[in-house]
Amino acid sequence: NTFAYVAGMAIERIEVLPKTGMIPVDGLAHAGPTDLLVAMTFHPYRNDVIDAIQLAHAKGVPVIAISDSLASPIMPGALQQFVVPVGNSSFFLSTVALTALFEMLVAFVVAETGTTAVEAISEFHLRRYELDVYHDAPSEVAVRVTSPEVG
């Protein structure tokens, strides 16, 4: 969700699957080769994610697969594969490395989109200042976002 939120500041048409009341394959009903599915699952691997990736492959939708092993069932056929360590000493998965991966992916999205993405992010934050969402006045950091040439 955080990846979709942040990347959505830069580019349009980012959706999180599944949406409320749906399963992941429902969100791929209108997907095609010009779309991209970023999918992830970790051991024990979820069948609904595997099914969504199989449908994406059948529809010609490129897939970026993120999992904890190259042996994960979502890796075969993926345009790009990322293996992310999620193990730790507690019962739950660690999301530290996953968060870092998503931050890197967003940076690539912005870099590939160029000044259009930088302007969109700047407008997003300036709109929030105008709507009084933030407590403080715009900082130099927000101003600097509008000036660099990216791409």
Side-chain angles (χ1 to χ4, degrees):
N1 287 351
T2 302
F3 170 77
Y5 169 71
V6 175
M9 290 180 202
I11 59 175
E12 296 180 19
R13 293 201 61 231
I14 296 210
E15 298 180 30
V16 176
L17 301 179
K19 294 180 181 178
T20 303
M22 301 172 86
I23 56 175
V25 293
D26 294 337
L28 296 171
H30 303 289
T34 60
D35 295 304
L36 173 70
L37 176 64
V38 178
M40 66 179 178
T41 187
F42 305 95
H43 190 270
Y45 307 111
R46 290 183 46 159
N47 286 322
D48 57 344
V49 175
I50 296 166
D51 293 344
I53 288 174
Q54 289 172 343
L55 178 60
H57 289 316
K59 295 179 71 125
V61 175
V63 173
I64 294 176
I66 302 169
S67 195
D68 54 350
S69 169
L70 283 174
S72 168
I74 69 169
M75 295 300 204
L79 174 70
Q80 183 66 54
Q81 304 163 332
F82 291 100
V83 175
V84 179
V86 292
N88 67 26
S89 60
S90 77
F91 179 77
F92 299 103
L93 300 177
S94 171
T95 60
V96 173
L98 186 60
T99 300
L101 173 66
F102 281 132
E103 287 180 8
M104 179 197 68
L105 289 176
V106 168
F108 276 111
V109 167
V110 171
E112 286 296 316
T113 309
T115 56
T116 304
V118 174
E119 290 168 2
I121 293 167
S122 181
E123 288 174 17
F124 180 91
H125 283 291
L126 289 175
R127 183 173 46 256
R128 285 179 154 223
Y129 282 111
E130 290 168 1
L131 295 171
D132 207 25
V133 171
Y134 299 134
H135 175 72
D136 297 331
S139 68
E140 288 185 40
V141 173
V143 174
R144 276 187 272 146
V145 168
T146 63
S147 61
E149 287 296 317
V150 179

